[in-house]
CSV table of all heavy atoms in Angstrom, one decimal:
chain,number,residue,atom,x,y,z
A,1,PRO,N,1.9,-13.1,10.8
A,1,PRO,CA,1.0,-13.5,9.7
A,1,PRO,C,-0.3,-12.8,9.8
A,1,PRO,O,-0.9,-12.4,8.8
A,1,PRO,CB,0.9,-15.0,9.8
A,1,PRO,CG,2.2,-15.5,10.4
A,1,PRO,CD,2.6,-14.3,11.4
A,2,ALA,N,-0.8,-12.7,11.0
A,2,ALA,CA,-2.2,-12.1,11.2
A,2,ALA,C,-2.2,-10.6,10.8
A,2,ALA,O,-3.2,-10.0,10.4
A,2,ALA,CB,-2.7,-12.3,12.6
A,3,GLN,N,-1.0,-10.0,10.8
A,3,GLN,CA,-0.9,-8.5,10.6
A,3,GLN,C,-0.6,-8.2,9.1
A,3,GLN,O,-0.7,-7.1,8.6
A,3,GLN,CB,0.1,-7.9,11.5
A,3,GLN,CG,-0.3,-7.9,12.9
A,3,GLN,CD,0.8,-7.3,13.8
A,3,GLN,OE1,1.9,-7.1,13.3
A,3,GLN,NE2,0.5,-7.0,15.0
A,4,ARG,N,-0.2,-9.3,8.3
A,4,ARG,CA,0.2,-9.0,6.9
A,4,ARG,C,-0.8,-8.3,6.1
A,4,ARG,O,-0.5,-7.4,5.4
A,4,ARG,CB,0.6,-10.4,6.3
A,4,ARG,CG,1.9,-10.8,6.8
A,4,ARG,CD,2.3,-12.1,6.1
A,4,ARG,NE,3.5,-12.7,6.8
A,4,ARG,CZ,3.8,-14.0,6.6
A,4,ARG,NH1,3.2,-14.7,5.8
A,4,ARG,NH2,4.9,-14.4,7.3
A,5,PRO,N,-2.1,-8.8,6.1
A,5,PRO,CA,-3.0,-8.1,5.2
A,5,PRO,C,-3.2,-6.6,5.6
A,5,PRO,O,-3.2,-5.7,4.8
A,5,PRO,CB,-4.3,-8.8,5.4
A,5,PRO,CG,-3.9,-10.2,5.9
A,5,PRO,CD,-2.7,-10.0,6.7
A,6,GLN,N,-3.2,-6.3,6.9
A,6,GLN,CA,-3.4,-5.0,7.4
A,6,GLN,C,-2.1,-4.1,7.0
A,6,GLN,O,-2.3,-3.0,6.5
A,6,GLN,CB,-3.5,-5.0,8.9
A,6,GLN,CG,-3.9,-3.7,9.5
A,6,GLN,CD,-4.1,-3.8,11.0
A,6,GLN,OE1,-3.4,-4.6,11.7
A,6,GLN,NE2,-5.2,-3.2,11.5
A,7,LEU,N,-1.0,-4.7,7.1
A,7,LEU,CA,0.3,-4.0,6.6
A,7,LEU,C,0.3,-3.7,5.1
A,7,LEU,O,0.6,-2.7,4.7
A,7,LEU,CB,1.5,-4.7,7.1
A,7,LEU,CG,1.8,-4.8,8.6
A,7,LEU,CD1,2.9,-5.8,8.9
A,7,LEU,CD2,2.1,-3.4,9.1
A,8,MET,N,-0.2,-4.8,4.4
A,8,MET,CA,-0.2,-4.7,2.9
A,8,MET,C,-1.1,-3.6,2.5
A,8,MET,O,-0.8,-2.7,1.7
A,8,MET,CB,-0.5,-6.0,2.3
A,8,MET,CG,-0.7,-5.9,0.8
A,8,MET,SD,0.8,-5.4,-0.1
A,8,MET,CE,1.8,-6.9,0.0
A,9,PHE,N,-2.3,-3.6,3.0
A,9,PHE,CA,-3.3,-2.6,2.6
A,9,PHE,C,-2.9,-1.2,3.0
A,9,PHE,O,-3.1,-0.2,2.3
A,9,PHE,CB,-4.7,-2.9,3.2
A,9,PHE,CG,-5.4,-3.9,2.3
A,9,PHE,CD1,-5.4,-5.2,2.7
A,9,PHE,CD2,-6.1,-3.5,1.1
A,9,PHE,CE1,-6.1,-6.2,1.9
A,9,PHE,CE2,-6.7,-4.4,0.4
A,9,PHE,CZ,-6.8,-5.8,0.8
A,10,GLY,N,-2.2,-1.1,4.2
A,10,GLY,CA,-1.7,0.2,4.6
A,10,GLY,C,-0.6,0.7,3.7
A,10,GLY,O,-0.6,1.9,3.2
A,11,SER,N,0.3,-0.2,3.2
A,11,SER,CA,1.4,0.2,2.3
A,11,SER,C,0.8,0.6,0.9
A,11,SER,O,1.2,1.6,0.3
A,11,SER,CB,2.4,-0.9,2.1
A,11,SER,OG,3.0,-1.2,3.3
A,12,LEU,N,-0.2,-0.2,0.5
A,12,LEU,CA,-0.8,0.1,-0.8
A,12,LEU,C,-1.5,1.4,-0.8
A,12,LEU,O,-1.5,2.2,-1.8
A,12,LEU,CB,-1.6,-1.0,-1.3
A,12,LEU,CG,-1.0,-2.3,-1.6
A,12,LEU,CD1,-2.1,-3.4,-1.9
A,12,LEU,CD2,0.0,-2.2,-2.8
A,13,GLY,N,-2.1,1.7,0.3
A,13,GLY,CA,-2.9,3.0,0.4
A,13,GLY,C,-2.0,4.2,0.3
A,13,GLY,O,-2.4,5.3,0.0
A,14,GLU,N,-0.7,4.0,0.7
A,14,GLU,CA,0.2,5.2,0.7
A,14,GLU,C,0.9,5.3,-0.6
A,14,GLU,O,1.6,6.4,-0.8
A,14,GLU,CB,1.3,4.9,1.8
A,14,GLU,CG,0.7,4.9,3.2
A,14,GLU,CD,1.8,4.6,4.3
A,14,GLU,OE1,3.0,4.6,3.9
A,14,GLU,OE2,1.4,4.5,5.4
A,15,LEU,N,0.7,4.5,-1.6
A,15,LEU,CA,1.3,4.6,-2.9
A,15,LEU,C,0.7,5.8,-3.6
A,15,LEU,O,-0.5,6.0,-3.6
A,15,LEU,CB,1.0,3.4,-3.8
A,15,LEU,CG,1.8,2.1,-3.4
A,15,LEU,CD1,1.3,0.9,-4.3
A,15,LEU,CD2,3.3,2.3,-3.7
A,16,PRO,N,1.6,6.6,-4.3
A,16,PRO,CA,1.0,7.7,-5.1
A,16,PRO,C,0.4,7.2,-6.4
A,16,PRO,O,0.7,6.0,-6.8
A,16,PRO,CB,2.3,8.6,-5.3
A,16,PRO,CG,3.4,7.6,-5.3
A,16,PRO,CD,3.0,6.6,-4.3
A,17,ALA,N,-0.4,8.0,-7.0
A,17,ALA,CA,-1.0,7.5,-8.3
A,17,ALA,C,0.2,7.2,-9.3
A,17,ALA,O,1.1,8.0,-9.3
A,17,ALA,CB,-1.8,8.6,-8.9
A,18,GLY,N,0.1,6.1,-9.9
A,18,GLY,CA,1.1,5.6,-10.8
A,18,GLY,C,2.3,4.9,-10.1
A,18,GLY,O,3.1,4.3,-10.8
A,19,GLY,N,2.4,4.9,-8.8
A,19,GLY,CA,3.4,4.2,-8.0
A,19,GLY,C,3.0,2.8,-7.9
A,19,GLY,O,1.9,2.3,-8.0
A,20,GLY,N,4.0,2.0,-7.6
A,20,GLY,CA,3.8,0.5,-7.5
A,20,GLY,C,4.8,-0.2,-6.6
A,20,GLY,O,5.8,0.5,-6.1
A,21,THR,N,4.5,-1.4,-6.4
A,21,THR,CA,5.4,-2.2,-5.5
A,21,THR,C,5.4,-3.7,-6.1
A,21,THR,O,4.4,-4.1,-6.8
A,21,THR,CB,5.0,-2.2,-4.1
A,21,THR,OG1,6.0,-2.9,-3.3
A,21,THR,CG2,3.7,-2.9,-3.8
A,22,THR,N,6.4,-4.5,-5.8
A,22,THR,CA,6.4,-5.9,-6.2
A,22,THR,C,6.2,-6.7,-4.9
A,22,THR,O,7.0,-6.6,-4.0
A,22,THR,CB,7.7,-6.2,-6.9
A,22,THR,OG1,7.8,-5.4,-8.0
A,22,THR,CG2,7.7,-7.7,-7.3
A,23,LEU,N,5.2,-7.6,-4.9
A,23,LEU,CA,5.0,-8.5,-3.9
A,23,LEU,C,5.6,-9.8,-4.2
A,23,LEU,O,5.4,-10.3,-5.3
A,23,LEU,CB,3.4,-8.7,-3.7
A,23,LEU,CG,3.0,-9.8,-2.8
A,23,LEU,CD1,3.3,-9.4,-1.3
A,23,LEU,CD2,1.5,-10.0,-2.9
A,24,VAL,N,6.4,-10.4,-3.3
A,24,VAL,CA,7.0,-11.7,-3.4
A,24,VAL,C,6.4,-12.6,-2.4
A,24,VAL,O,6.4,-12.3,-1.2
A,24,VAL,CB,8.5,-11.6,-3.3
A,24,VAL,CG1,9.1,-13.0,-3.5
A,24,VAL,CG2,9.1,-10.6,-4.3
A,25,ASN,N,5.8,-13.8,-2.8
A,25,ASN,CA,5.2,-14.7,-2.0
A,25,ASN,C,5.5,-16.1,-2.3
A,25,ASN,O,6.0,-16.4,-3.4
A,25,ASN,CB,3.7,-14.5,-2.1
A,25,ASN,CG,2.9,-14.7,-0.8
A,25,ASN,OD1,3.5,-15.1,0.2
A,25,ASN,ND2,1.6,-14.6,-0.9
A,26,ASP,N,5.3,-17.1,-1.3
A,26,ASP,CA,5.6,-18.5,-1.6
A,26,ASP,C,4.4,-19.2,-2.2
A,26,ASP,O,4.5,-20.4,-2.4
A,26,ASP,CB,6.1,-19.1,-0.3
A,26,ASP,CG,5.1,-19.2,0.8
A,26,ASP,OD1,4.0,-18.5,0.6
A,26,ASP,OD2,5.3,-19.8,1.8
A,27,HIS,N,3.3,-18.5,-2.4
A,27,HIS,CA,2.1,-19.1,-3.0
A,27,HIS,C,1.4,-18.0,-3.8
A,27,HIS,O,1.6,-16.8,-3.6
A,27,HIS,CB,1.2,-19.8,-2.0
A,27,HIS,CG,0.7,-18.8,-1.0
A,27,HIS,ND1,1.3,-18.4,0.1
A,27,HIS,CD2,-0.6,-18.2,-0.9
A,27,HIS,CE1,0.6,-17.6,0.8
A,27,HIS,NE2,-0.5,-17.4,0.2
A,28,ASP,N,0.5,-18.4,-4.7
A,28,ASP,CA,-0.3,-17.4,-5.4
A,28,ASP,C,-1.1,-16.6,-4.5
A,28,ASP,O,-2.0,-17.0,-3.8
A,28,ASP,CB,-1.2,-18.2,-6.4
A,28,ASP,CG,-1.9,-17.3,-7.4
A,28,ASP,OD1,-1.8,-16.0,-7.2
A,28,ASP,OD2,-2.5,-17.8,-8.4
A,29,PRO,N,-0.9,-15.2,-4.5
A,29,PRO,CA,-1.6,-14.3,-3.6
A,29,PRO,C,-3.0,-13.9,-4.2
A,29,PRO,O,-3.5,-12.8,-3.8
A,29,PRO,CB,-0.6,-13.2,-3.5
A,29,PRO,CG,0.0,-13.1,-4.8
A,29,PRO,CD,0.2,-14.6,-5.2
A,30,LYS,N,-3.6,-14.7,-4.9
A,30,LYS,CA,-4.9,-14.3,-5.5
A,30,LYS,C,-6.0,-14.0,-4.5
A,30,LYS,O,-6.8,-13.1,-4.8
A,30,LYS,CB,-5.4,-15.3,-6.6
A,30,LYS,CG,-5.8,-16.6,-6.1
A,30,LYS,CD,-6.2,-17.5,-7.2
A,30,LYS,CE,-6.3,-19.0,-6.7
A,30,LYS,NZ,-6.7,-19.8,-7.9
A,31,PRO,N,-6.0,-14.5,-3.3
A,31,PRO,CA,-7.0,-14.0,-2.3
A,31,PRO,C,-6.8,-12.5,-2.0
A,31,PRO,O,-7.8,-11.8,-1.9
A,31,PRO,CB,-6.8,-14.8,-1.1
A,31,PRO,CG,-6.2,-16.1,-1.6
A,31,PRO,CD,-5.3,-15.7,-2.7
A,32,LEU,N,-5.6,-12.0,-2.0
A,32,LEU,CA,-5.4,-10.6,-1.9
A,32,LEU,C,-5.9,-9.8,-3.1
A,32,LEU,O,-6.5,-8.8,-2.9
A,32,LEU,CB,-3.8,-10.3,-1.8
A,32,LEU,CG,-3.4,-8.9,-1.6
A,32,LEU,CD1,-4.0,-8.2,-0.4
A,32,LEU,CD2,-1.9,-8.7,-1.6
A,33,ARG,N,-5.7,-10.4,-4.3
A,33,ARG,CA,-6.3,-9.7,-5.5
A,33,ARG,C,-7.8,-9.6,-5.3
A,33,ARG,O,-8.3,-8.6,-5.7
A,33,ARG,CB,-5.9,-10.5,-6.7
A,33,ARG,CG,-6.4,-9.9,-8.0
A,33,ARG,CD,-6.0,-10.6,-9.2
A,33,ARG,NE,-6.1,-9.8,-10.4
A,33,ARG,CZ,-5.8,-10.3,-11.6
A,33,ARG,NH1,-5.2,-11.4,-11.8
A,33,ARG,NH2,-6.0,-9.5,-12.6
A,34,TYR,N,-8.4,-10.7,-4.9
A,34,TYR,CA,-9.9,-10.6,-4.8
A,34,TYR,C,-10.3,-9.6,-3.7
A,34,TYR,O,-11.3,-8.9,-3.9
A,34,TYR,CB,-10.4,-12.0,-4.4
A,34,TYR,CG,-10.2,-13.1,-5.5
A,34,TYR,CD1,-10.0,-14.4,-5.1
A,34,TYR,CD2,-10.2,-12.8,-6.8
A,34,TYR,CE1,-9.8,-15.4,-6.0
A,34,TYR,CE2,-10.0,-13.8,-7.8
A,34,TYR,CZ,-9.8,-15.1,-7.4
A,34,TYR,OH,-9.6,-16.0,-8.3
A,35,GLN,N,-9.6,-9.5,-2.7
A,35,GLN,CA,-9.9,-8.6,-1.6
A,35,GLN,C,-9.7,-7.1,-2.1
A,35,GLN,O,-10.5,-6.3,-1.8
A,35,GLN,CB,-9.0,-8.9,-0.3
A,35,GLN,CG,-9.5,-8.1,0.8
A,35,GLN,CD,-8.7,-8.5,2.1
A,35,GLN,OE1,-7.9,-9.4,2.1
A,35,GLN,NE2,-9.1,-7.9,3.2
A,36,LEU,N,-8.6,-6.9,-2.8
A,36,LEU,CA,-8.3,-5.6,-3.4
A,36,LEU,C,-9.5,-5.2,-4.3
A,36,LEU,O,-9.9,-4.0,-4.3
A,36,LEU,CB,-7.0,-5.5,-4.2
A,36,LEU,CG,-5.8,-5.1,-3.5
A,36,LEU,CD1,-4.6,-5.2,-4.4
A,36,LEU,CD2,-5.9,-3.7,-2.9
A,37,GLY,N,-9.9,-6.1,-5.2
A,37,GLY,CA,-11.0,-5.8,-6.1
A,37,GLY,C,-12.3,-5.5,-5.4
A,37,GLY,O,-13.0,-4.7,-5.9
A,38,ALA,N,-12.5,-6.2,-4.3
A,38,ALA,CA,-13.7,-6.0,-3.6
A,38,ALA,C,-13.7,-4.6,-2.8
A,38,ALA,O,-14.8,-4.0,-2.7
A,38,ALA,CB,-14.0,-7.1,-2.6
A,39,THR,N,-12.6,-4.3,-2.2
A,39,THR,CA,-12.5,-3.1,-1.3
A,39,THR,C,-12.0,-1.8,-2.0
A,39,THR,O,-12.3,-0.7,-1.6
A,39,THR,CB,-11.6,-3.4,-0.1
A,39,THR,OG1,-10.3,-3.7,-0.6
A,39,THR,CG2,-12.2,-4.5,0.7
A,40,GLU,N,-11.3,-2.0,-3.1
A,40,GLU,CA,-10.7,-0.9,-3.8
A,40,GLU,C,-10.9,-1.0,-5.3
A,40,GLU,O,-10.0,-1.1,-6.1
A,40,GLU,CB,-9.2,-0.7,-3.5
A,40,GLU,CG,-8.8,-0.6,-2.1
A,40,GLU,CD,-9.1,0.8,-1.5
A,40,GLU,OE1,-9.4,1.7,-2.3
A,40,GLU,OE2,-9.2,0.9,-0.3
A,41,PRO,N,-12.1,-1.3,-5.8
A,41,PRO,CA,-12.3,-1.6,-7.2
A,41,PRO,C,-11.7,-0.5,-8.2
A,41,PRO,O,-12.0,0.7,-8.0
A,41,PRO,CB,-13.9,-1.7,-7.4
A,41,PRO,CG,-14.4,-1.0,-6.2
A,41,PRO,CD,-13.4,-1.1,-5.1
A,42,GLY,N,-10.9,-1.0,-9.1
A,42,GLY,CA,-10.4,0.0,-10.1
A,42,GLY,C,-9.2,0.8,-9.7
A,42,GLY,O,-8.7,1.5,-10.5
A,43,ARG,N,-8.8,0.7,-8.4
A,43,ARG,CA,-7.7,1.6,-7.9
A,43,ARG,C,-6.3,1.0,-8.1
A,43,ARG,O,-5.3,1.7,-8.0
A,43,ARG,CB,-7.9,1.9,-6.4
A,43,ARG,CG,-9.1,2.8,-6.2
A,43,ARG,CD,-9.2,3.2,-4.8
A,43,ARG,NE,-8.1,4.1,-4.5
A,43,ARG,CZ,-7.8,4.4,-3.2
A,43,ARG,NH1,-8.6,4.0,-2.2
A,43,ARG,NH2,-6.8,5.2,-2.9
A,44,PHE,N,-6.2,-0.3,-8.4
A,44,PHE,CA,-4.9,-0.9,-8.5
A,44,PHE,C,-4.8,-1.9,-9.7
A,44,PHE,O,-5.8,-2.5,-10.1
A,44,PHE,CB,-4.6,-1.8,-7.2
A,44,PHE,CG,-4.4,-0.9,-6.0
A,44,PHE,CD1,-5.5,-0.7,-5.2
A,44,PHE,CD2,-3.2,-0.3,-5.7
A,44,PHE,CE1,-5.3,0.1,-4.0
A,44,PHE,CE2,-3.1,0.5,-4.6
A,44,PHE,CZ,-4.1,0.7,-3.7
A,45,SER,N,-3.7,-1.9,-10.3
A,45,SER,CA,-3.4,-2.9,-11.4
A,45,SER,C,-2.7,-4.1,-10.8
A,45,SER,O,-2.0,-3.9,-9.7
A,45,SER,CB,-2.6,-2.3,-12.5
A,45,SER,OG,-1.3,-1.9,-12.1
A,46,TRP,N,-2.7,-5.2,-11.4
A,46,TRP,CA,-2.1,-6.5,-10.8
A,46,TRP,C,-1.5,-7.2,-12.0
A,46,TRP,O,-2.2,-7.7,-12.9
A,46,TRP,CB,-3.3,-7.3,-10.2
A,46,TRP,CG,-2.9,-8.6,-9.6
A,46,TRP,CD1,-2.7,-9.8,-10.2
A,46,TRP,CD2,-2.7,-8.8,-8.2
A,46,TRP,NE1,-2.4,-10.7,-9.3
A,46,TRP,CE2,-2.4,-10.2,-8.0
A,46,TRP,CE3,-2.9,-8.0,-7.0
A,46,TRP,CZ2,-2.3,-10.7,-6.8
A,46,TRP,CZ3,-2.6,-8.6,-5.8
A,46,TRP,CH2,-2.3,-9.9,-5.7
A,47,ASP,N,-0.2,-7.4,-12.0
A,47,ASP,CA,0.5,-8.1,-13.1
A,47,ASP,C,1.4,-9.1,-12.5
A,47,ASP,O,2.4,-8.8,-11.7
A,47,ASP,CB,1.3,-7.0,-13.9
A,47,ASP,CG,0.4,-6.0,-14.6
A,47,ASP,OD1,-0.4,-6.4,-15.4
A,47,ASP,OD2,0.5,-4.8,-14.3
A,48,TYR,N,1.2,-10.3,-12.9
A,48,TYR,CA,2.1,-11.4,-12.5
A,48,TYR,C,3.4,-11.3,-13.2
A,48,TYR,O,3.5,-11.1,-14.4
A,48,TYR,CB,1.5,-12.8,-12.8
A,48,TYR,CG,0.4,-13.2,-11.9
A,48,TYR,CD1,-0.9,-13.1,-12.2
A,48,TYR,CD2,0.8,-13.8,-10.6
A,48,TYR,CE1,-1.9,-13.5,-11.3
A,48,TYR,CE2,-0.2,-14.2,-9.7
A,48,TYR,CZ,-1.5,-14.0,-10.0
A,48,TYR,OH,-2.5,-14.4,-9.2
A,49,LEU,N,4.5,-11.3,-12.5
A,49,LEU,CA,5.9,-11.3,-13.1
A,49,LEU,C,6.5,-12.7,-13.1
A,49,LEU,O,7.3,-13.0,-13.9
A,49,LEU,CB,6.8,-10.3,-12.3
A,49,LEU,CG,6.3,-8.9,-12.1
A,49,LEU,CD1,7.2,-8.1,-11.2
A,49,LEU,CD2,6.2,-8.2,-13.5
A,50,GLU,N,6.1,-13.5,-12.1
A,50,GLU,CA,6.5,-14.9,-11.9
A,50,GLU,C,5.4,-15.6,-11.3
A,50,GLU,O,4.8,-15.2,-10.3
A,50,GLU,CB,7.8,-14.9,-11.1
A,50,GLU,CG,8.4,-16.3,-11.0
A,50,GLU,CD,9.7,-16.2,-10.2
A,50,GLU,OE1,10.3,-15.2,-9.9
A,50,GLU,OE2,10.2,-17.4,-9.8
A,51,ARG,N,5.2,-16.9,-11.8
A,51,ARG,CA,4.1,-17.7,-11.3
A,51,ARG,C,4.6,-19.0,-10.7
A,51,ARG,O,4.4,-20.1,-11.3
A,51,ARG,CB,3.1,-17.9,-12.3
A,51,ARG,CG,2.3,-16.7,-12.8
A,51,ARG,CD,1.3,-17.1,-13.8
A,51,ARG,NE,0.6,-15.9,-14.3
A,51,ARG,CZ,-0.7,-15.7,-14.1
A,51,ARG,NH1,-1.4,-16.6,-13.5
A,51,ARG,NH2,-1.3,-14.7,-14.6
A,52,GLY,N,5.4,-19.0,-9.6
A,52,GLY,CA,5.9,-20.2,-9.0
A,52,GLY,C,6.8,-21.0,-9.8
A,52,GLY,O,7.2,-20.6,-10.9
A,53,PRO,N,7.1,-22.2,-9.3
A,53,PRO,CA,6.5,-22.8,-8.1
A,53,PRO,C,7.2,-22.4,-6.8
A,53,PRO,O,6.6,-22.4,-5.7
A,53,PRO,CB,6.8,-24.3,-8.3
A,53,PRO,CG,8.0,-24.4,-9.1
A,53,PRO,CD,8.0,-23.1,-10.0
A,54,ALA,N,8.4,-21.9,-6.9
A,54,ALA,CA,9.1,-21.5,-5.6
A,54,ALA,C,8.7,-20.1,-5.2
A,54,ALA,O,8.6,-19.9,-3.9
A,54,ALA,CB,10.6,-21.6,-5.8
A,55,ALA,N,8.5,-19.2,-6.1
A,55,ALA,CA,8.1,-17.8,-5.7
A,55,ALA,C,7.1,-17.3,-6.7
A,55,ALA,O,7.1,-17.6,-7.9
A,55,ALA,CB,9.4,-16.9,-5.7
A,56,TRP,N,6.2,-16.5,-6.1
A,56,TRP,CA,5.2,-15.8,-6.9
A,56,TRP,C,5.6,-14.3,-6.8
A,56,TRP,O,5.7,-13.8,-5.7
A,56,TRP,CB,3.9,-16.0,-6.4
A,56,TRP,CG,3.4,-17.5,-6.6
A,56,TRP,CD1,3.8,-18.6,-5.9
A,56,TRP,CD2,2.6,-18.0,-7.6
A,56,TRP,NE1,3.3,-19.7,-6.3
A,56,TRP,CE2,2.5,-19.4,-7.4
A,56,TRP,CE3,1.8,-17.4,-8.6
A,56,TRP,CZ2,1.7,-20.2,-8.2
A,56,TRP,CZ3,1.1,-18.2,-9.4
A,56,TRP,CH2,1.0,-19.6,-9.2
A,57,ARG,N,5.7,-13.6,-7.9
A,57,ARG,CA,6.0,-12.2,-7.9
A,57,ARG,C,4.9,-11.4,-8.7
A,57,ARG,O,4.5,-11.8,-9.8
A,57,ARG,CB,7.4,-11.9,-8.6
A,57,ARG,CG,8.6,-12.3,-7.8
A,57,ARG,CD,9.9,-12.0,-8.5
A,57,ARG,NE,11.0,-12.1,-7.7
A,57,ARG,CZ,11.5,-13.2,-7.1
A,57,ARG,NH1,10.8,-14.3,-7.1
A,57,ARG,NH2,12.6,-13.2,-6.4
A,58,VAL,N,4.4,-10.5,-8.0
A,58,VAL,CA,3.3,-9.7,-8.6
A,58,VAL,C,3.5,-8.2,-8.5
A,58,VAL,O,3.9,-7.7,-7.4
A,58,VAL,CB,1.9,-10.0,-7.8
A,58,VAL,CG1,0.8,-9.2,-8.4
A,58,VAL,CG2,1.6,-11.4,-7.8
A,59,ARG,N,3.4,-7.4,-9.5
A,59,ARG,CA,3.6,-6.0,-9.5
A,59,ARG,C,2.2,-5.4,-9.3
A,59,ARG,O,1.2,-5.7,-10.1
A,59,ARG,CB,4.1,-5.6,-10.9
A,59,ARG,CG,4.2,-4.0,-11.0
A,59,ARG,CD,5.3,-3.5,-10.3
A,59,ARG,NE,5.4,-2.1,-10.6
A,59,ARG,CZ,6.0,-1.2,-9.8
A,59,ARG,NH1,6.7,-1.6,-8.7
A,59,ARG,NH2,6.1,0.1,-10.1
A,60,ILE,N,2.0,-4.7,-8.2
A,60,ILE,CA,0.8,-4.0,-7.8
A,60,ILE,C,1.0,-2.5,-8.0
A,60,ILE,O,2.0,-2.0,-7.3
A,60,ILE,CB,0.3,-4.4,-6.4
A,60,ILE,CG1,0.2,-5.9,-6.3
A,60,ILE,CG2,-1.0,-3.7,-6.1
A,60,ILE,CD1,0.0,-6.4,-4.9
A,61,ALA,N,0.2,-1.9,-8.8
A,61,ALA,CA,0.4,-0.4,-8.9
A,61,ALA,C,-0.9,0.3,-8.7
A,61,ALA,O,-2.0,-0.2,-9.0
A,61,ALA,CB,1.0,-0.1,-10.3
A,62,ARG,N,-0.8,1.5,-8.2
A,62,ARG,CA,-2.0,2.3,-8.0
A,62,ARG,C,-2.3,3.0,-9.4
A,62,ARG,O,-1.4,3.7,-10.0
A,62,ARG,CB,-1.8,3.4,-6.9
A,62,ARG,CG,-3.0,4.1,-6.6
A,62,ARG,CD,-2.8,4.9,-5.3
A,62,ARG,NE,-4.1,5.3,-4.8
A,62,ARG,CZ,-4.3,5.7,-3.6
A,62,ARG,NH1,-3.2,5.8,-2.8
A,62,ARG,NH2,-5.5,6.1,-3.2
A,63,THR,N,-3.5,2.9,-9.8
A,63,THR,CA,-3.8,3.5,-11.1
A,63,THR,C,-3.9,5.1,-11.0
A,63,THR,O,-4.1,5.6,-9.9
A,63,THR,CB,-5.2,3.0,-11.6
A,63,THR,OG1,-6.2,3.2,-10.6
A,63,THR,CG2,-5.1,1.5,-11.9
A,64,ALA,N,-3.6,5.7,-12.1
A,64,ALA,CA,-3.6,7.2,-12.1
A,64,ALA,C,-5.0,7.8,-12.0
A,64,ALA,O,-5.9,7.2,-12.3
A,64,ALA,CB,-2.8,7.7,-13.3
């Protein structure tokens, strides 16, 4: 768990422009969204595909 944010940011940093990934989590990952907005403003889009209660799915894409 302590390495998850580091792994996530590493993976997102490797996305090509226009590329994306889907994050699946057991809770709303909005702290990650806030962190992305603070450290990488405007570089990623964030779209909820599913909002719990069992699973949260978010499409994160690198903007062109």
Side-chain angles (χ1 to χ4, degrees):
Q3 295 176 344
R4 285 183 192 161
Q6 192 175 41
L7 292 171
M8 175 59 76
F9 278 98
S11 296
L12 292 175
E14 293 177 8
L15 287 173
T21 189
T22 300
L23 172 66
V24 180
N25 209 2
D26 63 353
H27 63 277
D28 189 351
K30 65 182 169 184
L32 176 63
R33 182 179 194 178
Y34 297 146
Q35 191 173 1
L36 265 178
T39 60
E40 304 284 345
R43 289 187 65 192
F44 294 95
S45 64
W46 181 279
D47 298 298
Y48 284 99
L49 305 175
E50 184 177 350
R51 293 179 182 247
W56 294 76
R57 286 178 170 60
V58 178
R59 175 77 175 159
I60 304 170
R62 188 167 195 168
T63 54

